[in-house]
């Protein structure tokens, strides 16, 4: 696992890894199920930016995370533009970007050891 964690003292840093993982899961499901418009996608982007600021990273880290998703965004947007309308392409690409940005906040504010311990605990019942 690549350690992208950046130490900090924000409320987001102090939240338990299990809570952050659960909230990311709920957000991903909500983003997938709820009907969205370009306006709501914009609001989600602004909300993600606020999370980066609240975690003490600011807009630079937000833009860096956004830039790292460029190839996924490009591939997804072009594919959707070929097979769907521009509105559908915009909204669905925005959903994926929002999930990736939220996952970025979790990765930047959670120690890899804490995240792995949480995943190990969650997978515990599957142990033979």
């Amino acid at each position: 696992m690549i350690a992208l964690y950046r130490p900090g003292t924000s409320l987001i840093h102090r939240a338990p890894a299990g809570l952050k993982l659960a909230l990311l899961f709920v957000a991903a499901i909500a983003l997938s199920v709820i009907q969205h418009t370009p306006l709501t996608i914009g609001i989600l982007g602004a909300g993600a930016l606020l999370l980066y600021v609240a975690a003490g990273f600011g807009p630079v880290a937000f833009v860096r995370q956004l830039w790292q998703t460029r190839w996924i965004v490009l591939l997804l947007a072009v594919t959707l533009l070929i097979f769907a309308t521009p509105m559908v392409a915009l909204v669905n690409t925005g959903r994926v970007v929002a999930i990736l940005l939220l996952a970025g906040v979790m990765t930047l504010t959670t120690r890899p050891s804490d995240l792995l311990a949480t995943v190990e605990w969650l997978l515990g019942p599957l142990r033979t």
Side-chain angles (χ1 to χ4, degrees):
M1 176 182 271
I2 300 170
L4 300 175
Y5 172 72
R6 292 172 49 187
T9 58
S10 71
L11 181 63
I12 299 172
H13 279 88
R14 294 189 310 258
L19 176 62
K20 289 188 255 188
L21 197 57
L23 290 173
L24 179 63
F25 176 76
V26 168
I29 296 297
L31 280 166
S32 299
V33 174
I34 297 171
Q35 186 74 18
H36 290 281
T37 66
L39 176 63
T40 60
I41 294 299
I43 292 169
L44 289 169
L49 175 59
L50 288 175
L51 285 175
Y52 278 83
V53 171
F57 300 129
V60 173
F62 177 81
V63 172
R64 186 177 301 123
Q65 290 290 323
L66 196 55
W67 179 250
Q68 290 174 352
T69 67
R70 69 191 178 279
W71 298 114
I72 294 170
V73 170
L74 183 65
L75 181 65
L76 181 61
V78 168
T79 304
L80 285 170
L81 283 170
I82 292 169
F83 294 105
T85 66
M87 188 64 66
V88 169
L90 174 69
V91 169
N92 287 308
T93 302
R95 287 177 181 185
V96 171
V97 169
I99 293 169
L100 291 172
L101 289 172
L102 293 175
V105 170
M106 186 190 71
T107 303
L108 290 170
T109 61
T110 309
R111 288 185 183 89
S113 58
D114 294 343
L115 188 56
L116 286 173
T118 301
V119 171
E120 184 179 317
W121 178 80
L122 288 169
L123 296 175
L126 300 176
R127 196 174 291 157
T128 57

